[in-house]
């Protein structure tokens, strides 16, 4: 059960409401976000909701039967939208394009990518400076120095930044240079990280875990929301299956299913979802058709020289072709 509190509730009324709910055997979790204050009582409602709806301080009350509550689509009919400022919006009719290199590599390559994005009208650039790599000997990112350089070029060009945060201790130093914190697949169930990001006011994109279920992804999002941050994007980036012909199996079903289960925005990552450059464009278009609210994909001016994930990075020409095709099909996509 989710109770949305009246915005004018007094501390006294709030305390009384708590006591009344506890007397009704509800376990109560208080959540305050950027937009509202809620009381979450998980589990199937054991009481008649009408008894709660009339209590002082209650704006509205909803029965939610899922294990996740605040991110469930069953209580909030309007899809969440995210405003990054400077006219950059995600959702509410704005399909988000987030493109760039897998890793931030050097200044020239940032400039090349920014120039490509500006040319294509793409307002959000991706690029990791803290890279989760399977091998400790692989390139693991430029760290804060890279992020500052990334920020400097993006700000000049009016481009917003999405970049991966790997641990809670990085949040404070990254904050000023980041518009969307990316939680990588390997950290999808790092509950300490999710909880800390829940205390931020910046958007958080959560990737689906490598072997993560839809339910687990939604519960990860619940960690962020219940800690106070509603600005959440979910990202389908493929899962590990028995198939070895490609890096991951992009789960197209996840897009419409997530959109039915949650009010959060759903982004598709066809780069990690396939791991093969030639598959990125068709899968990206399929994801848009299936209702994705945006794409997160890798593009590099010289993919063969990329320090990470070159095999799945589109050239800038291919990226431009993807954008042109997307613009043609977007009016026919099943977004809601
Ligand atoms: C990435 O976006 O470069 C990345 C490492 O993604 P994932 O966490 O999906 O593997
Ligand atoms: Mn990558």
């Amino acid at each position: 059960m989710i109770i949305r509190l009246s915005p004018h509730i007094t501390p006294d009324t709030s305390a009384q409401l708590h006591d009344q709910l506890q007397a009704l055997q509800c376990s109560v979790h208080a959540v305050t976000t950027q937009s509202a204050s809620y009381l979450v009582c998980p589990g199937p409602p054991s009481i008649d909701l009408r008894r709660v709806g009339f209590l002082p301080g209650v704006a509205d009350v909803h029965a939610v039967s899922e294990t996740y509550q605040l991110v469930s689509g069953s209580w909030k009919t309007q899809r969440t939208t995210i405003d990054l400022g400077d006219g950059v919006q995600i959702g509410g009719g704005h399909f988000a394009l987030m493109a760039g290199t897998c890793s931030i590599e050097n200044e020239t390559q940032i400039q090349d990518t920014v120039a490509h994005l500006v040319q294509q009208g793409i307002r959000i650039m991706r690029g990791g400076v803290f890279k989760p790599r399977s091998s400790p000997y692989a390139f693991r990112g430029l760290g804060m120095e890279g992020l500052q350089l990334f920020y400097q070029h993006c700000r000049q060009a009016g481009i917003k930044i999405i970049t991966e945060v790997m641990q809670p201790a990085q949040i404070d130093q990254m904050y000023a240079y980041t518009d969307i914190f990316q939680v990588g697949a390997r950290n999808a169930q790092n509950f300490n990280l999710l909880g800390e990001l829940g205390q931020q006011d910046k958007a958080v994109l959560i990737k689906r875990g490598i072997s993560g279920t839809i339910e687990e992804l939604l519960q990860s999002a619940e960690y962020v929301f219940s800690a106070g941050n509603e600005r959440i994007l979910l990202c389908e980036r493929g899962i590990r299956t028995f198939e070895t012909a490609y890096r991951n199996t992009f789960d197209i079903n996840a897009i419409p299913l997530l959109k039915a289960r949650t009010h959060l925005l759903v982004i598709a990552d066809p780069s990690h979802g396939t791991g093969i450059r030639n598959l990125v464009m068709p899968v990206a278009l399929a994801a848009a058709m299936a209702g994705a609210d945006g794409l997160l994909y890798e593009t590099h001016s010289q993919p063969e020289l990329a320090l990470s994930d070159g095999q799945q990075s589109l050239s800038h020409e291919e990226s431009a072709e993807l954008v042109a095709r997307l613009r043609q099909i977007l009016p026919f996509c099943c977004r809601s």
Side-chain angles (χ1 to χ4, degrees):
M1 176 173 69
I2 296 176
I3 298 164
R4 201 167 53 83
L5 299 179
S6 148
H8 311 296
I9 190 170
T10 62
D12 277 357
T13 313
S14 176
Q16 264 169 22
L17 188 55
H18 242 92
D19 293 346
Q20 284 161 320
L21 288 165
Q22 262 158 0
L24 291 167
Q25 311 294 321
C26 297
S27 77
V28 187
H29 300 258
V31 173
T32 295
T33 69
Q34 303 94 344
S35 340
S37 289
Y38 308 90
L39 296 179
V40 182
C41 308
S46 50
I47 45 168
D48 185 341
L49 292 194
R50 286 168 297 187
R51 286 181 71 179
V52 178
F54 291 115
L55 293 174
V58 173
D60 46 51
V61 58
H62 306 266
V64 180
S65 53
E66 289 91 0
T67 52
Y68 43 90
Q69 299 267 311
L70 291 159
V71 304
S72 166
S74 60
W75 72 278
K76 185 174 176 230
T77 46
Q78 227 180 6
R79 192 157 300 283
T80 295
T81 57
I82 293 183
D83 188 348
L84 296 177
D86 303 317
V88 184
Q89 291 187 2
I90 310 180
H94 301 273
F95 187 85
L97 286 173
M98 314 181 201
T101 47
C102 175
S103 306
I104 292 300
E105 297 173 351
N106 56 57
E107 188 162 21
T108 314
Q109 172 260 303
I110 297 172
Q111 287 169 318
D112 286 355
T113 311
V114 166
H116 169 66
L117 265 52
V118 168
Q119 200 176 40
Q120 295 306 315
I122 299 175
R123 299 290 307 277
I124 308 170
M125 179 165 156
R126 62 147 292 142
V129 295
F130 296 112
K131 295 300 303 177
R133 302 303 301 275
S134 301
S135 163
Y137 308 115
F139 176 64
R140 291 163 73 185
L142 295 182
M144 281 309 297
E145 227 172 281
L147 184 56
Q148 281 158 6
L149 213 52
F150 185 10
Y151 176 84
Q152 192 185 311
H153 287 281
C154 283
R155 275 298 172 272
Q156 276 169 13
I159 286 177
K160 301 292 175 185
I161 288 178
I162 174 167
T163 192
E164 177 161 355
V165 56
M166 287 181 61
Q167 45 177 308
Q170 292 165 343
I171 297 174
D172 279 355
Q173 41 173 344
M174 293 174 71
Y175 182 89
Y177 308 102
T178 304
D179 299 295
I180 305 176
F181 284 110
Q182 174 176 320
V183 176
R186 290 152 194 83
N187 264 322
Q189 288 193 306
N190 181 338
F191 302 121
N192 291 332
L193 178 62
L194 295 166
E196 290 288 332
L197 290 169
Q199 292 174 41
Q200 308 298 316
D201 56 4
K202 293 210 171 171
V204 179
L205 176 140
I206 310 171
K207 292 220 186 179
R208 183 176 179 180
I210 289 175
S211 301
T213 64
I214 304 271
E215 175 115 357
E216 284 165 345
L217 176 59
L218 289 165
Q219 297 207 65
S220 295
E222 188 79 15
Y223 264 92
V224 177
F225 199 139
S226 63
N229 189 353
E230 296 195 24
R231 307 182 76 208
I232 306 168
L233 301 150
L234 300 176
C235 180
E236 165 57 36
R237 50 77 74 198
I239 45 173
R240 182 166 287 177
T241 68
F242 59 81
E243 185 53 75
T244 55
Y246 23 77
R247 184 178 182 186
N248 290 302
T249 300
F250 185 85
D251 179 9
I252 194 88
N253 302 5
I255 309 272
L257 189 70
L258 283 168
K259 296 215 49 177
R261 295 221 170 147
T262 176
H263 54 80
L264 298 175
L265 294 163
V266 179
I267 305 296
D269 174 350
S271 307
H272 297 85
T274 61
I276 300 175
R277 183 176 313 133
N278 290 344
L279 303 189
V280 171
M281 181 148 14
V283 170
L285 296 173
M289 268 294 175
D293 297 294
L295 291 178
L296 176 70
Y297 69 92
E298 292 176 340
T299 178
H300 194 288
S301 56
Q302 291 173 288
E304 61 290 355
L305 299 182
L307 296 182
S308 58
D309 286 350
Q311 80 291 346
Q312 65 190 34
S313 299
L314 299 181
S315 67
H316 288 174
E317 293 70 29
E318 290 164 330
S319 165
E321 191 183 336
L322 171 59
V323 173
R325 290 195 191 198
L326 266 173
R327 297 219 157 105
Q328 284 180 326
I329 68 160
L330 278 176
F332 307 102
C333 294
C334 331
R335 275 181 297 145
S336 60

